[in-house]
Amino acid sequence: MPGAVEGPRWKQAEDIRDIYDFRDVLGTGAFSEVILAEDKRTQKLVAIKCIAKKALEGKEGSMENEIAVLHKIKHPNIVALDDIYESGGHLYLIMQLVSGGELFDRIVEKGFYTERDASRLIFQVLDAVKYLHDLGIVHRDLKPENLLYYSLDEDSKIMISDFGLSKMEDPGSVLSTACGTPGYVAPEVLAQKPYSKAVDCWSIGVIAYILQRLHPALDGEGSREEVHL
């Protein structure tokens, strides 16, 4: 496994807990766990994505792609990757800590957004996605669960997260892998036709609609899972 997902800032650690003080579990996924931790040297709080290397067997390419994308981007509305460590049987992605929760949960709490608040939020998402597209990166899984508030403040900025399905476009190539989350996927993806970075714009349109009119998919019964279609 070492080297399979190697990046320019790849680091080895005998014990990651010598560097970071692990605190609370922030969330869990199919292959990872996200931990609130404190850098023992700087006292900076971070979110650490802990991934068991055994769980990555056969999926090394996907993780390599995600790390390559995260290394390439730096934008105020995108959750940043600070470092990567390998320690024992795990990979540790040291991520910027954002503490405001998912847009999904705030939509459910508020019911709907005013036009002013919705436009402010969508402007931030569009600015970040334009930045990604200018770099040749397509996110492919934009949805309220992957948009995080930086803080609990009412006027907190929004941050794009989770680049697990993202893809860097090769010059002259087209995308064809059917992936994403039902309800937010563009028609050409569902039809299993070649597509472009415009699929992200479709997803943003769906989110903009939901912000002002709570969609049945967000009433607690809809799927929150990403899928390979």
Side-chain angles (χ1 to χ4, degrees), residues 90-105:
H90 287 76
L91 294 178
Y92 297 94
L93 275 59
I94 315 302
M95 307 293 298
Q96 176 185 12
L97 177 65
V98 293
S99 56
E102 297 176 0
L103 173 61
F104 182 100
D105 295 321

Side-chain angles (χ1 to χ4, degrees), residues 185-203:
V185 177
E188 56 266 41
V189 178
L190 290 174
Q192 299 188 37
K193 295 180 179 179
Y195 57 89
S196 70
K197 57 191 176 186
V199 297
D200 283 345
C201 299
W202 175 278
S203 300

Side-chain angles (χ1 to χ4, degrees), residues 10-21:
W10 184 269
K11 296 179 180 179
Q12 300 286 329
E14 185 173 336
D15 187 347
I16 192 69
R17 294 175 187 268
D18 291 338
I19 305 170
Y20 293 95
D21 179 21

Side-chain angles (χ1 to χ4, degrees), residues 47-99:
I48 301 182
K49 187 174 183 179
C50 311
I51 307 164
K53 290 191 291 183
K54 189 172 183 180
L56 288 178
E57 292 178 1
K59 306 178 184 68
E60 293 88 350
S62 176
M63 178 55 61
E64 181 179 358
N65 176 76
E66 181 177 359
I67 290 175
V69 168
L70 288 171
H71 269 301
K72 194 173 182 179
I73 57 183
K74 185 175 179 61
H75 188 279
N77 295 107
I78 299 175
V79 178
L81 172 67
D82 292 337
D83 260 322
I84 306 171
Y85 285 90
E86 179 186 11
S87 178
H90 287 76
L91 294 178
Y92 297 94
L93 275 59
I94 315 302
M95 307 293 298
Q96 176 185 12
L97 177 65
V98 293
S99 56

